[in-house]
Amino acid sequence: MSLLAVGSIAFDAVRTPFGERARMLGGSAVHFALAASFFTEVSVVGPVGDDFGDAEYDVLTTRGVRTDDIEHVDGGKTFFWRGHYDYDLNVAHTDDTQLNVFGDFEPKLSEGSRRAEMLFLGNIQPQLQSEVREACESAELVALDSMNLWIETERDALLDVIARVDCLLLNDAEIRMLTGEPNLPRAARSVMEMGPRAVVAKRGEYGAALFTEDGFFAIPGYLLEDVRDPTGAGDSFAGGFLGYLDGRRAPA
Amino acid sequence: MSLLAVGSIAFDAVRTPFGERARMLGGSAVHFALAASFFTEVSVVGPVGDDFGDAEYDVLTTRGVRTDDIEHVDGGKTFFWRGHYDYDLNVAHTDDTQLNVFGDFEPKLSEGSRRAEMLFLGNIQPQLQSEVREACESAELVALDSMNLWIETERDALLDVIARVDCLLLNDAEIRMLTGEPNLPRAARSVMEMGPRAVVAKRGEYGAALFTEDGFFAIPGYLLEDVRDPTGAGDSFAGGFLGYLDGRRAPA
């Protein structure tokens, strides 16, 4: 196994000006894994409940995603998120979050998962990210995504795990929020002083920028005529990014 | 002569969170010409007053910009703009505009200017842009810039001149405003139905996107750590864009 992703596995209810769905497979680990599966073998870690059935597993396994480390909690319900977007699709409004089986989740990694060479810590509680980081000691590249909620409510735990990863992926507004620095290149430099040697600023429809000690590299977003629901876009981007990097590595 | 630019020649008073200047050389034609001068020979058309002296001419002529078609109005005062920016440097707030010599300006083009092969109609009243467009019949490529003010107050005159240019350059918000279409690729297509065969969406710090019948090409902006005053950034971008195109053309 090469790439391991921990993060939410969820059902989402989403409303946008262009449509509405009451229940869709979602979650950061799911979006990440589906995108990464186009480039490499990826394994998902996370808990699901009784409502997570064959139809959901099939979405992952038909793309070759390894589901051995998905933990089924008897009698439990899968993580649930309800949100909506107005015409500015860059801003998600959360209407309801039900942690369900994520409330008591303690990551249990198989031997294979512990030996992962590349690790993605998707957007979940920093403490859980920290435990998985700890368990995957030998990972050569560890990337972490987070969000404004944890910057506000779990800042210390978040800084603690950020110090132990190689790459931080965040929205540009969140990078500014984390560092208190309005200028993006300066803010990215400030993140690198916290530990990571690379920072990826996600800029919504405008694309992304990578910062390292050597400078930066920016790419524009691909312009789409039909955008109906941006949920999971950042996780899909991360999956493509890390999946591609892992797929290009020489076999061990 | 190869490239002709008509637009404002101005003195600007600008305040940003990072500094303040009471009087700087500015105006769309000036910013455009200075940037274009790095790639080709460029000539400026526009009126100035008695307050426009050798120091101002020198800024242009030391960069090789041709000033023969700058019209000096005896007893007149040069166009003046006062504005400020808050921390969002993408939004200019106009505090004062004094048209001065621009109030009665009637473009008088020299023979050489009339034979320009490439023409930039900088952001001034659409009627003036129209007159210059008319005078330069043989131009092979005509590009036009405008702004929200003219979209709101001179829509018919603006649509009339847009129908007779090859390329429209506008901020993305202005392209949406002009067309009433929130999606940028669709809005650009809608502009092309008005006449132009190319649309350049200026996206502030995020870069720019070019739309043609064949599709689009987007580039990110170069990320800067120190941004003090964005005045003229769009005109400088247009000058680099058209100046480069003109400089790459085979000599007639």
mmCIF file with all atom_site columns, all heavy atoms in Angstrom, chain A residues 183 186 189 206 216 218 220 223-226, chain B residues 183 186 189 203 206 216 218 220 223-226:
data_model
loop_
_atom_site.group_PDB
_atom_site.id
_atom_site.type_symbol
_atom_site.label_atom_id
_atom_site.label_alt_id
_atom_site.label_comp_id
_atom_site.label_asym_id
_atom_site.label_entity_id
_atom_site.label_seq_id
_atom_site.pdbx_PDB_ins_code
_atom_site.Cartn_x
_atom_site.Cartn_y
_atom_site.Cartn_z
_atom_site.occupancy
_atom_site.B_iso_or_equiv
_atom_site.pdbx_formal_charge
_atom_site.auth_seq_id
_atom_site.auth_comp_id
_atom_site.auth_asym_id
_atom_site.auth_atom_id
_atom_site.pdbx_PDB_model_num
ATOM 1   N N   . ASN A 1 183 ? -1.194  39.076 3.987   1.00 0.00 ? 183 ASN A N   1
ATOM 2   C CA  . ASN A 1 183 ? -0.517  38.820 2.707   1.00 0.00 ? 183 ASN A CA  1
ATOM 3   C C   . ASN A 1 183 ? -0.196  37.332 2.575   1.00 0.00 ? 183 ASN A C   1
ATOM 4   O O   . ASN A 1 183 ? 0.471   36.740 3.436   1.00 0.00 ? 183 ASN A O   1
ATOM 5   C CB  . ASN A 1 183 ? 0.765   39.655 2.638   1.00 0.00 ? 183 ASN A CB  1
ATOM 6   C CG  . ASN A 1 183 ? 1.541   39.400 1.359   1.00 0.00 ? 183 ASN A CG  1
ATOM 7   O OD1 . ASN A 1 183 ? 2.340   38.480 1.292   1.00 0.00 ? 183 ASN A OD1 1
ATOM 8   N ND2 . ASN A 1 183 ? 1.287   40.209 0.347   1.00 0.00 ? 183 ASN A ND2 1
ATOM 9   N N   . ARG A 1 186 ? 3.535   35.952 2.670   1.00 0.00 ? 186 ARG A N   1
ATOM 10  C CA  . ARG A 1 186 ? 4.072   36.091 4.040   1.00 0.00 ? 186 ARG A CA  1
ATOM 11  C C   . ARG A 1 186 ? 3.410   35.094 4.979   1.00 0.00 ? 186 ARG A C   1
ATOM 12  O O   . ARG A 1 186 ? 4.062   34.509 5.852   1.00 0.00 ? 186 ARG A O   1
ATOM 13  C CB  . ARG A 1 186 ? 3.792   37.492 4.579   1.00 0.00 ? 186 ARG A CB  1
ATOM 14  C CG  . ARG A 1 186 ? 4.635   38.594 3.980   1.00 0.00 ? 186 ARG A CG  1
ATOM 15  C CD  . ARG A 1 186 ? 4.123   39.913 4.572   1.00 0.00 ? 186 ARG A CD  1
ATOM 16  N NE  . ARG A 1 186 ? 4.598   41.056 3.826   1.00 0.00 ? 186 ARG A NE  1
ATOM 17  C CZ  . ARG A 1 186 ? 5.707   41.711 4.113   1.00 0.00 ? 186 ARG A CZ  1
ATOM 18  N NH1 . ARG A 1 186 ? 6.438   41.341 5.142   1.00 0.00 ? 186 ARG A NH1 1
ATOM 19  N NH2 . ARG A 1 186 ? 6.081   42.742 3.388   1.00 0.00 ? 186 ARG A NH2 1
ATOM 20  N N   . ARG A 1 189 ? 4.891   31.737 4.506   1.00 0.00 ? 189 ARG A N   1
ATOM 21  C CA  . ARG A 1 189 ? 6.205   31.683 5.156   1.00 0.00 ? 189 ARG A CA  1
ATOM 22  C C   . ARG A 1 189 ? 6.064   31.472 6.660   1.00 0.00 ? 189 ARG A C   1
ATOM 23  O O   . ARG A 1 189 ? 6.801   30.713 7.284   1.00 0.00 ? 189 ARG A O   1
ATOM 24  C CB  . ARG A 1 189 ? 6.990   32.969 4.852   1.00 0.00 ? 189 ARG A CB  1
ATOM 25  C CG  . ARG A 1 189 ? 8.449   32.870 5.102   1.00 0.00 ? 189 ARG A CG  1
ATOM 26  C CD  . ARG A 1 189 ? 9.319   33.381 3.953   1.00 0.00 ? 189 ARG A CD  1
ATOM 27  N NE  . ARG A 1 189 ? 8.810   34.607 3.366   1.00 0.00 ? 189 ARG A NE  1
ATOM 28  C CZ  . ARG A 1 189 ? 8.968   35.823 3.884   1.00 0.00 ? 189 ARG A CZ  1
ATOM 29  N NH1 . ARG A 1 189 ? 9.587   35.974 5.033   1.00 0.00 ? 189 ARG A NH1 1
ATOM 30  N NH2 . ARG A 1 189 ? 8.517   36.887 3.246   1.00 0.00 ? 189 ARG A NH2 1
ATOM 31  N N   . TYR A 1 206 ? -10.287 30.167 -8.289  1.00 0.00 ? 206 TYR A N   1
ATOM 32  C CA  . TYR A 1 206 ? -9.095  30.797 -8.860  1.00 0.00 ? 206 TYR A CA  1
ATOM 33  C C   . TYR A 1 206 ? -7.889  29.869 -8.933  1.00 0.00 ? 206 TYR A C   1
ATOM 34  O O   . TYR A 1 206 ? -6.855  30.237 -9.472  1.00 0.00 ? 206 TYR A O   1
ATOM 35  C CB  . TYR A 1 206 ? -8.736  32.057 -8.068  1.00 0.00 ? 206 TYR A CB  1
ATOM 36  C CG  . TYR A 1 206 ? -9.801  33.122 -8.165  1.00 0.00 ? 206 TYR A CG  1
ATOM 37  C CD1 . TYR A 1 206 ? -10.582 33.458 -7.069  1.00 0.00 ? 206 TYR A CD1 1
ATOM 38  C CD2 . TYR A 1 206 ? -10.039 33.768 -9.367  1.00 0.00 ? 206 TYR A CD2 1
ATOM 39  C CE1 . TYR A 1 206 ? -11.573 34.426 -7.164  1.00 0.00 ? 206 TYR A CE1 1
ATOM 40  C CE2 . TYR A 1 206 ? -11.023 34.738 -9.474  1.00 0.00 ? 206 TYR A CE2 1
ATOM 41  C CZ  . TYR A 1 206 ? -11.786 35.064 -8.378  1.00 0.00 ? 206 TYR A CZ  1
ATOM 42  O OH  . TYR A 1 206 ? -12.761 36.019 -8.480  1.00 0.00 ? 206 TYR A OH  1
ATOM 43  N N   . PHE A 1 216 ? 7.427   30.045 -5.003  1.00 0.00 ? 216 PHE A N   1
ATOM 44  C CA  . PHE A 1 216 ? 6.051   29.583 -5.146  1.00 0.00 ? 216 PHE A CA  1
ATOM 45  C C   . PHE A 1 216 ? 5.767   29.135 -6.566  1.00 0.00 ? 216 PHE A C   1
ATOM 46  O O   . PHE A 1 216 ? 6.485   29.474 -7.501  1.00 0.00 ? 216 PHE A O   1
ATOM 47  C CB  . PHE A 1 216 ? 5.055   30.678 -4.739  1.00 0.00 ? 216 PHE A CB  1
ATOM 48  C CG  . PHE A 1 216 ? 4.959   31.818 -5.730  1.00 0.00 ? 216 PHE A CG  1
ATOM 49  C CD1 . PHE A 1 216 ? 4.104   31.734 -6.828  1.00 0.00 ? 216 PHE A CD1 1
ATOM 50  C CD2 . PHE A 1 216 ? 5.709   32.959 -5.575  1.00 0.00 ? 216 PHE A CD2 1
ATOM 51  C CE1 . PHE A 1 216 ? 4.022   32.769 -7.740  1.00 0.00 ? 216 PHE A CE1 1
ATOM 52  C CE2 . PHE A 1 216 ? 5.635   34.010 -6.482  1.00 0.00 ? 216 PHE A CE2 1
ATOM 53  C CZ  . PHE A 1 216 ? 4.783   33.905 -7.569  1.00 0.00 ? 216 PHE A CZ  1
ATOM 54  N N   . ALA A 1 218 ? 2.073   28.814 -8.854  1.00 0.00 ? 218 ALA A N   1
ATOM 55  C CA  . ALA A 1 218 ? 0.622   29.018 -8.832  1.00 0.00 ? 218 ALA A CA  1
ATOM 56  C C   . ALA A 1 218 ? 0.003   28.480 -10.112 1.00 0.00 ? 218 ALA A C   1
ATOM 57  O O   . ALA A 1 218 ? 0.599   28.569 -11.185 1.00 0.00 ? 218 ALA A O   1
ATOM 58  C CB  . ALA A 1 218 ? 0.292   30.499 -8.677  1.00 0.00 ? 218 ALA A CB  1
ATOM 59  N N   . PRO A 1 220 ? -3.955  28.384 -12.223 1.00 0.00 ? 220 PRO A N   1
ATOM 60  C CA  . PRO A 1 220 ? -5.351  28.833 -12.207 1.00 0.00 ? 220 PRO A CA  1
ATOM 61  C C   . PRO A 1 220 ? -6.272  27.628 -12.151 1.00 0.00 ? 220 PRO A C   1
ATOM 62  O O   . PRO A 1 220 ? -5.888  26.525 -12.533 1.00 0.00 ? 220 PRO A O   1
ATOM 63  C CB  . PRO A 1 220 ? -5.497  29.561 -13.544 1.00 0.00 ? 220 PRO A CB  1
ATOM 64  C CG  . PRO A 1 220 ? -4.517  28.885 -14.449 1.00 0.00 ? 220 PRO A CG  1
ATOM 65  C CD  . PRO A 1 220 ? -3.372  28.427 -13.581 1.00 0.00 ? 220 PRO A CD  1
ATOM 66  N N   . LEU A 1 223 ? -11.746 26.596 -15.733 1.00 0.00 ? 223 LEU A N   1
ATOM 67  C CA  . LEU A 1 223 ? -13.003 27.346 -15.718 1.00 0.00 ? 223 LEU A CA  1
ATOM 68  C C   . LEU A 1 223 ? -14.160 26.475 -16.191 1.00 0.00 ? 223 LEU A C   1
ATOM 69  O O   . LEU A 1 223 ? -14.110 25.902 -17.284 1.00 0.00 ? 223 LEU A O   1
ATOM 70  C CB  . LEU A 1 223 ? -12.874 28.586 -16.607 1.00 0.00 ? 223 LEU A CB  1
ATOM 71  C CG  . LEU A 1 223 ? -11.954 29.667 -16.026 1.00 0.00 ? 223 LEU A CG  1
ATOM 72  C CD1 . LEU A 1 223 ? -11.413 30.571 -17.109 1.00 0.00 ? 223 LEU A CD1 1
ATOM 73  C CD2 . LEU A 1 223 ? -12.715 30.489 -14.990 1.00 0.00 ? 223 LEU A CD2 1
ATOM 74  N N   . LEU A 1 224 ? -15.179 26.392 -15.370 1.00 0.00 ? 224 LEU A N   1
ATOM 75  C CA  . LEU A 1 224 ? -16.328 25.537 -15.682 1.00 0.00 ? 224 LEU A CA  1
ATOM 76  C C   . LEU A 1 224 ? -17.569 26.384 -15.961 1.00 0.00 ? 224 LEU A C   1
ATOM 77  O O   . LEU A 1 224 ? -17.784 27.403 -15.318 1.00 0.00 ? 224 LEU A O   1
ATOM 78  C CB  . LEU A 1 224 ? -16.626 24.612 -14.497 1.00 0.00 ? 224 LEU A CB  1
ATOM 79  C CG  . LEU A 1 224 ? -15.512 23.633 -14.146 1.00 0.00 ? 224 LEU A CG  1
ATOM 80  C CD1 . LEU A 1 224 ? -15.812 22.971 -12.817 1.00 0.00 ? 224 LEU A CD1 1
ATOM 81  C CD2 . LEU A 1 224 ? -15.347 22.587 -15.241 1.00 0.00 ? 224 LEU A CD2 1
ATOM 82  N N   . GLU A 1 225 ? -18.374 25.924 -16.907 1.00 0.00 ? 225 GLU A N   1
ATOM 83  C CA  . GLU A 1 225 ? -19.620 26.648 -17.189 1.00 0.00 ? 225 GLU A CA  1
ATOM 84  C C   . GLU A 1 225 ? -20.748 26.201 -16.267 1.00 0.00 ? 225 GLU A C   1
ATOM 85  O O   . GLU A 1 225 ? -21.666 26.955 -15.988 1.00 0.00 ? 225 GLU A O   1
ATOM 86  C CB  . GLU A 1 225 ? -20.036 26.440 -18.642 1.00 0.00 ? 225 GLU A CB  1
ATOM 87  C CG  . GLU A 1 225 ? -19.031 27.029 -19.608 1.00 0.00 ? 225 GLU A CG  1
ATOM 88  C CD  . GLU A 1 225 ? -19.668 27.492 -20.911 1.00 0.00 ? 225 GLU A CD  1
ATOM 89  O OE1 . GLU A 1 225 ? -20.905 27.453 -21.033 1.00 0.00 ? 225 GLU A OE1 1
ATOM 90  O OE2 . GLU A 1 225 ? -18.906 27.887 -21.802 1.00 0.00 ? 225 GLU A OE2 1
ATOM 91  N N   . ASP A 1 226 ? -20.699 24.949 -15.826 1.00 0.00 ? 226 ASP A N   1
ATOM 92  C CA  . ASP A 1 226 ? -21.759 24.450 -14.956 1.00 0.00 ? 226 ASP A CA  1
ATOM 93  C C   . ASP A 1 226 ? -21.183 24.010 -13.623 1.00 0.00 ? 226 ASP A C   1
ATOM 94  O O   . ASP A 1 226 ? -20.482 23.003 -13.555 1.00 0.00 ? 226 ASP A O   1
ATOM 95  C CB  . ASP A 1 226 ? -22.486 23.272 -15.618 1.00 0.00 ? 226 ASP A CB  1
ATOM 96  C CG  . ASP A 1 226 ? -23.384 23.746 -16.742 1.00 0.00 ? 226 ASP A CG  1
ATOM 97  O OD1 . ASP A 1 226 ? -24.309 24.526 -16.459 1.00 0.00 ? 226 ASP A OD1 1
ATOM 98  O OD2 . ASP A 1 226 ? -23.139 23.358 -17.890 1.00 0.00 ? 226 ASP A OD2 1
ATOM 99  N N   . ASN B 1 183 ? -21.833 33.459 -14.443 1.00 0.00 ? 183 ASN B N   1
ATOM 100 C CA  . ASN B 1 183 ? -20.762 32.510 -14.756 1.00 0.00 ? 183 ASN B CA  1
ATOM 101 C C   . ASN B 1 183 ? -19.801 33.122 -15.777 1.00 0.00 ? 183 ASN B C   1
ATOM 102 O O   . ASN B 1 183 ? -20.215 33.551 -16.866 1.00 0.00 ? 183 ASN B O   1
ATOM 103 C CB  . ASN B 1 183 ? -21.368 31.212 -15.299 1.00 0.00 ? 183 ASN B CB  1
ATOM 104 C CG  . ASN B 1 183 ? -20.307 30.201 -15.683 1.00 0.00 ? 183 ASN B CG  1
ATOM 105 O OD1 . ASN B 1 183 ? -19.782 30.246 -16.787 1.00 0.00 ? 183 ASN B OD1 1
ATOM 106 N ND2 . ASN B 1 183 ? -19.962 29.313 -14.771 1.00 0.00 ? 183 ASN B ND2 1
ATOM 107 N N   . ARG B 1 186 ? -19.563 31.742 -19.498 1.00 0.00 ? 186 ARG B N   1
ATOM 108 C CA  . ARG B 1 186 ? -20.787 32.088 -20.228 1.00 0.00 ? 186 ARG B CA  1
ATOM 109 C C   . ARG B 1 186 ? -20.848 33.581 -20.517 1.00 0.00 ? 186 ARG B C   1
ATOM 110 O O   . ARG B 1 186 ? -21.274 34.005 -21.590 1.00 0.00 ? 186 ARG B O   1
ATOM 111 C CB  . ARG B 1 186 ? -22.018 31.725 -19.395 1.00 0.00 ? 186 ARG B CB  1
ATOM 112 C CG  . ARG B 1 186 ? -22.303 30.241 -19.274 1.00 0.00 ? 186 ARG B CG  1
ATOM 113 C CD  . ARG B 1 186 ? -23.514 30.079 -18.335 1.00 0.00 ? 186 ARG B CD  1
ATOM 114 N NE  . ARG B 1 186 ? -23.660 28.721 -17.876 1.00 0.00 ? 186 ARG B NE  1
ATOM 115 C CZ  . ARG B 1 186 ? -24.418 27.818 -18.488 1.00 0.00 ? 186 ARG B CZ  1
ATOM 116 N NH1 . ARG B 1 186 ? -25.077 28.156 -19.564 1.00 0.00 ? 186 ARG B NH1 1
ATOM 117 N NH2 . ARG B 1 186 ? -24.505 26.581 -18.029 1.00 0.00 ? 186 ARG B NH2 1
ATOM 118 N N   . ARG B 1 189 ? -18.694 34.420 -23.385 1.00 0.00 ? 189 ARG B N   1
ATOM 119 C CA  . ARG B 1 189 ? -19.333 34.015 -24.639 1.00 0.00 ? 189 ARG B CA  1
ATOM 120 C C   . ARG B 1 189 ? -20.371 35.042 -25.052 1.00 0.00 ? 189 ARG B C   1
ATOM 121 O O   . ARG B 1 189 ? -20.499 35.400 -26.222 1.00 0.00 ? 189 ARG B O   1
ATOM 122 C CB  . ARG B 1 189 ? -19.963 32.626 -24.464 1.00 0.00 ? 189 ARG B CB  1
ATOM 123 C CG  . ARG B 1 189 ? -20.330 31.963 -25.735 1.00 0.00 ? 189 ARG B CG  1
ATOM 124 C CD  . ARG B 1 189 ? -19.849 30.518 -25.841 1.00 0.00 ? 189 ARG B CD  1
ATOM 125 N NE  . ARG B 1 189 ? -20.016 29.737 -24.630 1.00 0.00 ? 189 ARG B NE  1
ATOM 126 C CZ  . ARG B 1 189 ? -21.171 29.220 -24.207 1.00 0.00 ? 189 ARG B CZ  1
ATOM 127 N NH1 . ARG B 1 189 ? -22.275 29.429 -24.908 1.00 0.00 ? 189 ARG B NH1 1
ATOM 128 N NH2 . ARG B 1 189 ? -21.220 28.488 -23.124 1.00 0.00 ? 189 ARG B NH2 1
ATOM 129 N N   . ARG B 1 203 ? -8.593  39.499 -13.265 1.00 0.00 ? 203 ARG B N   1
ATOM 130 C CA  . ARG B 1 203 ? -9.076  38.928 -12.009 1.00 0.00 ? 203 ARG B CA  1
ATOM 131 C C   . ARG B 1 203 ? -8.263  39.401 -10.807 1.00 0.00 ? 203 ARG B C   1
ATOM 132 O O   . ARG B 1 203 ? -8.099  38.670 -9.832  1.00 0.00 ? 203 ARG B O   1
ATOM 133 C CB  . ARG B 1 203 ? -9.055  37.400 -12.117 1.00 0.00 ? 203 ARG B CB  1
ATOM 134 C CG  . ARG B 1 203 ? -9.723  36.905 -13.398 1.00 0.00 ? 203 ARG B CG  1
ATOM 135 C CD  . ARG B 1 203 ? -9.486  35.429 -13.633 1.00 0.00 ? 203 ARG B CD  1
ATOM 136 N NE  . ARG B 1 203 ? -10.581 34.613 -13.141 1.00 0.00 ? 203 ARG B NE  1
ATOM 137 C CZ  . ARG B 1 203 ? -10.510 33.289 -13.007 1.00 0.00 ? 203 ARG B CZ  1
ATOM 138 N NH1 . ARG B 1 203 ? -9.401  32.647 -13.303 1.00 0.00 ? 203 ARG B NH1 1
ATOM 139 N NH2 . ARG B 1 203 ? -11.540 32.614 -12.574 1.00 0.00 ? 203 ARG B NH2 1
ATOM 140 N N   . TYR B 1 206 ? -5.603  37.467 -8.662  1.00 0.00 ? 206 TYR B N   1
ATOM 141 C CA  . TYR B 1 206 ? -5.690  36.067 -9.090  1.00 0.00 ? 206 TYR B CA  1
ATOM 142 C C   . TYR B 1 206 ? -5.226  35.851 -10.529 1.00 0.00 ? 206 TYR B C   1
ATOM 143 O O   . TYR B 1 206 ? -5.139  34.713 -10.972 1.00 0.00 ? 206 TYR B O   1
ATOM 144 C CB  . TYR B 1 206 ? -7.106  35.543 -8.909  1.00 0.00 ? 206 TYR B CB  1
ATOM 145 C CG  . TYR B 1 206 ? -7.537  35.509 -7.469  1.00 0.00 ? 206 TYR B CG  1
ATOM 146 C CD1 . TYR B 1 206 ? -8.500  36.378 -6.981  1.00 0.00 ? 206 TYR B CD1 1
ATOM 147 C CD2 . TYR B 1 206 ? -6.941  34.616 -6.577  1.00 0.00 ? 206 TYR B CD2 1
ATOM 148 C CE1 . TYR B 1 206 ? -8.875  36.348 -5.652  1.00 0.00 ? 206 TYR B CE1 1
ATOM 149 C CE2 . TYR B 1 206 ? -7.310  34.582 -5.246  1.00 0.00 ? 206 TYR B CE2 1
ATOM 150 C CZ  . TYR B 1 206 ? -8.273  35.447 -4.784  1.00 0.00 ? 206 TYR B CZ  1
ATOM 151 O OH  . TYR B 1 206 ? -8.642  35.422 -3.461  1.00 0.00 ? 206 TYR B OH  1
ATOM 152 N N   . PHE B 1 216 ? -10.453 28.719 -23.664 1.00 0.00 ? 216 PHE B N   1
ATOM 153 C CA  . PHE B 1 216 ? -9.892  29.735 -22.776 1.00 0.00 ? 216 PHE B CA  1
ATOM 154 C C   . PHE B 1 216 ? -8.465  29.398 -22.391 1.00 0.00 ? 216 PHE B C   1
ATOM 155 O O   . PHE B 1 216 ? -8.016  28.253 -22.515 1.00 0.00 ? 216 PHE B O   1
ATOM 156 C CB  . PHE B 1 216 ? -10.748 29.903 -21.511 1.00 0.00 ? 216 PHE B CB  1
ATOM 157 C CG  . PHE B 1 216 ? -10.620 28.755 -20.540 1.00 0.00 ? 216 PHE B CG  1
ATOM 158 C CD1 . PHE B 1 216 ? -9.585  28.721 -19.611 1.00 0.00 ? 216 PHE B CD1 1
ATOM 159 C CD2 . PHE B 1 216 ? -11.518 27.706 -20.557 1.00 0.00 ? 216 PHE B CD2 1
ATOM 160 C CE1 . PHE B 1 216 ? -9.457  27.668 -18.719 1.00 0.00 ? 216 PHE B CE1 1
ATOM 161 C CE2 . PHE B 1 216 ? -11.399 26.648 -19.668 1.00 0.00 ? 216 PHE B CE2 1
ATOM 162 C CZ  . PHE B 1 216 ? -10.364 26.627 -18.750 1.00 0.00 ? 216 PHE B CZ  1
ATOM 163 N N   . ALA B 1 218 ? -5.982  30.543 -19.015 1.00 0.00 ? 218 ALA B N   1
ATOM 164 C CA  . ALA B 1 218 ? -5.938  31.306 -17.766 1.00 0.00 ? 218 ALA B CA  1
ATOM 165 C C   . ALA B 1 218 ? -4.529  31.301 -17.195 1.00 0.00 ? 218 ALA B C   1
ATOM 166 O O   . ALA B 1 218 ? -3.810  30.301 -17.318 1.00 0.00 ? 218 ALA B O   1
ATOM 167 C CB  . ALA B 1 218 ? -6.919  30.715 -16.750 1.00 0.00 ? 218 ALA B CB  1
ATOM 168 N N   . PRO B 1 220 ? -2.272  32.567 -13.538 1.00 0.00 ? 220 PRO B N   1
ATOM 169 C CA  . PRO B 1 220 ? -2.367  33.155 -12.196 1.00 0.00 ? 220 PRO B CA  1
ATOM 170 C C   . PRO B 1 220 ? -1.560  34.453 -12.142 1.00 0.00 ? 220 PRO B C   1
ATOM 171 O O   . PRO B 1 220 ? -0.665  34.666 -12.944 1.00 0.00 ? 220 PRO B O   1
ATOM 172 C CB  . PRO B 1 220 ? -1.715  32.087 -11.313 1.00 0.00 ? 220 PRO B CB  1
ATOM 173 C CG  . PRO B 1 220 ? -0.741  31.404 -12.211 1.00 0.00 ? 220 PRO B CG  1
ATOM 174 C CD  . PRO B 1 220 ? -1.306  31.464 -13.608 1.00 0.00 ? 220 PRO B CD  1
ATOM 175 N N   . LEU B 1 223 ? 2.593   36.384 -7.364  1.00 0.00 ? 223 LEU B N   1
ATOM 176 C CA  . LEU B 1 223 ? 2.303   36.704 -5.963  1.00 0.00 ? 223 LEU B CA  1
ATOM 177 C C   . LEU B 1 223 ? 3.348   37.659 -5.388  1.00 0.00 ? 223 LEU B C   1
ATOM 178 O O   . LEU B 1 223 ? 4.546   37.366 -5.436  1.00 0.00 ? 223 LEU B O   1
ATOM 179 C CB  . LEU B 1 223 ? 2.242   35.418 -5.141  1.00 0.00 ? 223 LEU B CB  1
ATOM 180 C CG  . LEU B 1 223 ? 1.016   34.545 -5.442  1.00 0.00 ? 223 LEU B CG  1
ATOM 181 C CD1 . LEU B 1 223 ? 1.264   33.098 -5.053  1.00 0.00 ? 223 LEU B CD1 1
ATOM 182 C CD2 . LEU B 1 223 ? -0.201  35.080 -4.710  1.00 0.00 ? 223 LEU B CD2 1
ATOM 183 N N   . LEU B 1 224 ? 2.895   38.753 -4.866  1.00 0.00 ? 224 LEU B N   1
ATOM 184 C CA  . LEU B 1 224 ? 3.794   39.774 -4.329  1.00 0.00 ? 224 LEU B CA  1
ATOM 185 C C   . LEU B 1 224 ? 3.669   39.866 -2.811  1.00 0.00 ? 224 LEU B C   1
ATOM 186 O O   . LEU B 1 224 ? 2.577   39.732 -2.268  1.00 0.00 ? 224 LEU B O   1
ATOM 187 C CB  . LEU B 1 224 ? 3.444   41.135 -4.931  1.00 0.00 ? 224 LEU B CB  1
ATOM 188 C CG  . LEU B 1 224 ? 3.597   41.259 -6.440  1.00 0.00 ? 224 LEU B CG  1
ATOM 189 C CD1 . LEU B 1 224 ? 2.972   42.557 -6.930  1.00 0.00 ? 224 LEU B CD1 1
ATOM 190 C CD2 . LEU B 1 224 ? 5.072   41.180 -6.833  1.00 0.00 ? 224 LEU B CD2 1
ATOM 191 N N   . GLU B 1 225 ? 4.798   40.113 -2.154  1.00 0.00 ? 225 GLU B N   1
ATOM 192 C CA  . GLU B 1 225 ? 4.753   40.277 -0.696  1.00 0.00 ? 225 GLU B CA  1
ATOM 193 C C   . GLU B 1 225 ? 4.432   41.718 -0.303  1.00 0.00 ? 225 GLU B C   1
ATOM 194 O O   . GLU B 1 225 ? 3.873   41.958 0.749   1.00 0.00 ? 225 GLU B O   1
ATOM 195 C CB  . GLU B 1 225 ? 6.090   39.860 -0.076  1.00 0.00 ? 225 GLU B CB  1
ATOM 196 C CG  . GLU B 1 225 ? 6.369   38.393 -0.276  1.00 0.00 ? 225 GLU B CG  1
ATOM 197 C CD  . GLU B 1 225 ? 7.221   37.797 0.835   1.00 0.00 ? 225 GLU B CD  1
ATOM 198 O OE1 . GLU B 1 225 ? 7.500   38.502 1.824   1.00 0.00 ? 225 GLU B OE1 1
ATOM 199 O OE2 . GLU B 1 225 ? 7.594   36.624 0.702   1.00 0.00 ? 225 GLU B OE2 1
ATOM 200 N N   . ASP B 1 226 ? 4.829   42.661 -1.157  1.00 0.00 ? 226 ASP B N   1
ATOM 201 C CA  . ASP B 1 226 ? 4.579   44.061 -0.829  1.00 0.00 ? 226 ASP B CA  1
ATOM 202 C C   . ASP B 1 226 ? 3.711   44.704 -1.898  1.00 0.00 ? 226 ASP B C   1
ATOM 203 O O   . ASP B 1 226 ? 4.169   44.927 -3.013  1.00 0.00 ? 226 ASP B O   1
ATOM 204 C CB  . ASP B 1 226 ? 5.902   44.829 -0.712  1.00 0.00 ? 226 ASP B CB  1
ATOM 205 C CG  . ASP B 1 226 ? 6.635   44.475 0.567   1.00 0.00 ? 226 ASP B CG  1
ATOM 206 O OD1 . ASP B 1 226 ? 6.068   44.735 1.641   1.00 0.00 ? 226 ASP B OD1 1
ATOM 207 O OD2 . ASP B 1 226 ? 7.745   43.933 0.479   1.00 0.00 ? 226 ASP B OD2 1
#
